[in-house]
Amino acid sequence: MALGGTGQADTGRGEKGGARTALAGLTTRGRSFLAAGVAAAICAYVLGQPDLLRVGLLLAALPLVCAAVVYRTRYRVAGSRRLSPGRVPAGSESRVHLRMDNVSRLPTGLLMLQDRVPYVLGPRPRFVLDRVEPGGRREVSYRVRSDLRGRYPLGPLQLRLNDPFGMCELTRSFSTFDTLTVIPRVEPLPALRLSDEAKGYGDGRQRSLALAGEDDVIPRGYRYGDDLRRVHWRSTARYGELMVRREEQPQRSRCTVLLDTRGTAFRGAGPDSAFEWAVSGCASVLTHMLERGFSVRLLTDTGTSVPGEGADGFAGASQESADAAGLMMDTLAVVDHSDGTGLSRAYDVLRGGNEGLLVAFFGELNEEQAAVAGKMRQRSGGAVAFLLDGDSWVREPNEAPATMNRTQERLRMLREAGWTAVSVSRGVPLTEVWQLADQERSGVVTVGGTSGGEAGS
């Protein structure tokens, strides 16, 4: 639950040009009354009708008096906003709670409350608040929803004051606003072993002995609770105190998730586009690997990663795993197409060391880009590639693919380089291709289309 900002609005005087401000707040009704009064006064003067003059003066004076009363009315109100929750998946709703407190010693009149929201979140919410007693409060709420990921500002709150006759309306704004983060959709994935090198608790840890042999073990002093079966008697006799063998050291398995963001690699736009599917798939894999205890890193084709992550990425199965997932989801919420045309920057980052398991979401690849992707496999313990078939995401269902041979050729190149490659067509859920990637480690399968090679197990 995210707490929104608070602020106070003073509805009394405090600005220069008060008369001009009050007159600018006249509504259409107020301006009409003022114009009618002036016209009646002019006609009364020309025609010599004193009764008509009194009527004109009354019509003209009414909106002016209402404007003066509204402008000089002093209310001090405090407003706050609370988002529940402040981070939601695309397509889900968040409720915004607004609270108004009257912190003055005078009761307020009729208040009109309005909150500014981007158009993608829905219509602008408006509320009418009855008289608020001194020290009283009013609470209202509304819902927002977006099918597009991103960060959307909410606010500032605006209060509209008007008189009982509807002649004048003045607006006062709060200075604070909040941000709603719409993250990609995350699909739960089954626990599969996509790499023989990823072992341990879940698949997130490997265990290795400290040193090679019995004679090379470096012992340490006995500690209360140590298993007596681990006592190293030769060292105990040498040092004159109980010594135990050092425990096996855990090595956390690593997983790098590569997201191809090249604008030239994806066609189409909107929540059902290929790029949005890739971003959602990337978010799902990151969350899944964190839950399994991997040290996870997010990488894009530009060579950038999540701000704040360590050299080995974010560690899963820890108290910080939820925060790590939040940071990566916030990054994916605003990720956009890059201007790059190749994958060389990502390859430069990956060739620095053994990255463990590598999961990549590629757009359309040419021959050179597929060759660079093939070299990425050399520095990873296992590699799984999801290649999005660009034609299937933009053509009609009854149209034949125009570049099937080219897609199959790219899949073949990735497979020969050691990748487990799966081609993804439009409308295929991530869970299905995730399971097929495990089943077809030694072959290539086109999901939602035709086979791109002989499937193996």
Side-chain angles (χ1 to χ4, degrees):
M1 213 174 262
L3 293 179
T6 61
Q8 289 189 359
D10 191 344
T11 63
R13 298 178 297 176
E15 302 176 0
K16 297 181 179 180
R20 183 179 302 176
T21 302
L23 292 177
L26 290 176
T27 62
T28 302
R29 179 184 298 177
R31 296 176 187 273
S32 300
F33 268 68
L34 182 60
V38 172
I42 294 175
C43 292
Y45 176 78
V46 173
L47 300 176
Q49 297 290 332
D51 294 336
L52 182 59
L53 178 61
R54 287 191 289 269
V55 173
L57 292 177
L58 177 62
L59 292 176
L62 181 59
L64 296 177
V65 172
C66 291
V69 171
V70 172
Y71 181 74
R72 294 180 63 88
T73 301
R74 299 185 64 87
Y75 300 142
R76 295 188 67 239
V77 293
S80 63
R81 182 190 300 104
R82 179 169 54 89
L83 307 181
S84 178
R87 182 190 291 121
V88 295
S92 300
E93 291 184 344
S94 176
R95 182 169 290 275
V96 183
H97 301 269
L98 303 178
R99 171 177 162 178
M100 303 300 301
D101 294 271
N102 183 12
V103 296
S104 66
R105 298 180 180 179
L106 298 176
T108 69
L110 190 66
L111 300 178
M112 297 181 62
L113 182 63
Q114 175 179 278
D115 203 7
R116 290 185 178 181
V117 299
Y119 72 95
V120 295
L121 298 182
R124 181 171 295 182
R126 294 181 175 89
F127 305 94
V128 177
L129 303 181
D130 294 332
R131 175 180 177 273
V132 183
E133 65 279 0
R137 70 179 60 169
R138 297 290 185 271
E139 295 184 2
V140 293
S141 64
Y142 63 93
R143 293 178 294 180
V144 291
R145 178 182 181 274
S146 175
D147 292 328
L148 298 175
R149 55 186 176 81
R151 293 173 62 87
Y152 301 102
L154 301 179
L157 281 171
Q158 290 182 332
L159 277 178
R160 290 186 178 183
L161 308 176
N162 55 11
D163 62 281
F165 300 101
M167 298 290 179
C168 182
E169 182 178 272
L170 296 181
T171 301
R172 296 290 184 267
S173 297
F174 294 87
S175 59
T176 58
F177 64 91
D178 297 282
T179 302
L180 175 67
T181 303
V182 180
I183 63 176
R185 295 184 180 92
V186 176
E187 297 185 27
L189 300 177
L192 304 176
R193 179 163 296 179
L194 298 176
S195 170
D196 293 335
E197 288 77 12
K199 304 174 183 177
Y201 68 92
D203 279 332
R205 186 173 63 180
Q206 297 176 345
R207 303 193 68 89
S208 60
L209 287 175
L211 293 174
E214 175 76 12
D215 295 335
D216 297 326
V217 172
I218 301 178
R220 61 170 176 82
Y222 175 83
R223 298 172 186 171
Y224 179 78
D226 285 339
D227 191 348
L228 292 178
R229 290 176 295 182
R230 293 177 43 239
V231 173
H232 193 256
W233 297 109
R234 182 179 301 176
S235 299
T236 299
R238 178 179 179 182
Y239 293 103
E241 60 177 331
L242 281 178
M243 305 292 290
V244 296
R245 297 181 181 88
R246 190 172 60 176
E247 295 178 344
E248 295 177 338
Q249 301 299 314
Q251 294 181 345
R252 190 178 300 278
S253 294
R254 302 171 62 184
C255 174
T256 298
V257 180
L258 174 62
L259 175 62
D260 185 3
T261 63
R262 295 172 297 123
T264 57
F266 297 92
R267 289 177 284 175
D272 296 328
S273 63
F275 182 67
E276 293 302 321
W277 190 98
V279 174
S280 177
C282 185
S284 301
V285 173
L286 287 170
T287 303
H288 176 70
M289 290 301 179
L290 276 175
E291 292 174 350
R292 293 177 63 184
F294 279 73
S295 291
V296 179
R297 178 169 65 167
L298 171 63
L299 185 67
T300 66
D301 60 287
T302 61
T304 58
S305 56
V306 179
E309 72 177 16
D312 294 336
F314 290 107
S318 65
Q319 295 180 353
E320 293 80 14
S321 60
D323 295 335
L327 287 174
M328 288 187 286
M329 292 303 106
D330 289 345
T331 301
L332 291 175
V334 296
V335 69
D336 202 355
H337 291 294
S338 67
D339 298 329
T341 58
L343 303 173
S344 57
R345 293 182 181 178
Y347 171 68
D348 291 339
V349 175
L350 292 173
R351 69 178 180 179
N354 189 347
E355 296 300 323
L357 177 63
L358 175 61
V359 181
F361 291 84
F362 291 121
E364 296 182 11
L365 301 175
N366 58 27
E367 186 174 354
E368 179 182 357
Q369 294 159 357
V372 174
K375 291 189 294 184
M376 294 179 184
R377 172 64 180 87
Q378 301 173 2
R379 305 302 301 174
S380 63
V384 180
F386 299 102
L387 182 61
L388 277 71
D389 183 6
D391 279 346
S392 68
W393 289 85
V394 295
R395 70 172 187 264
E396 296 297 329
N398 56 352
E399 294 181 3
T403 59
M404 178 179 294
N405 293 334
R406 185 179 64 183
T407 301
Q408 300 305 320
E409 176 63 21
R410 304 296 177 261
L411 290 171
R412 183 189 62 80
M413 294 178 63
L414 293 176
R415 183 181 65 171
E416 291 179 350
W419 287 83
T420 297
V422 176
S423 177
V424 183
S425 300
R426 182 177 183 178
V428 179
L430 176 63
T431 304
E432 181 177 339
V433 296
W434 181 255
Q435 292 175 331
L436 285 173
D438 178 64
Q439 298 171 1
E440 308 295 339
R441 296 184 201 177
S442 59
V444 179
V445 169
T446 300
V447 183
T450 58
S451 175
E454 183 179 358
S457 57

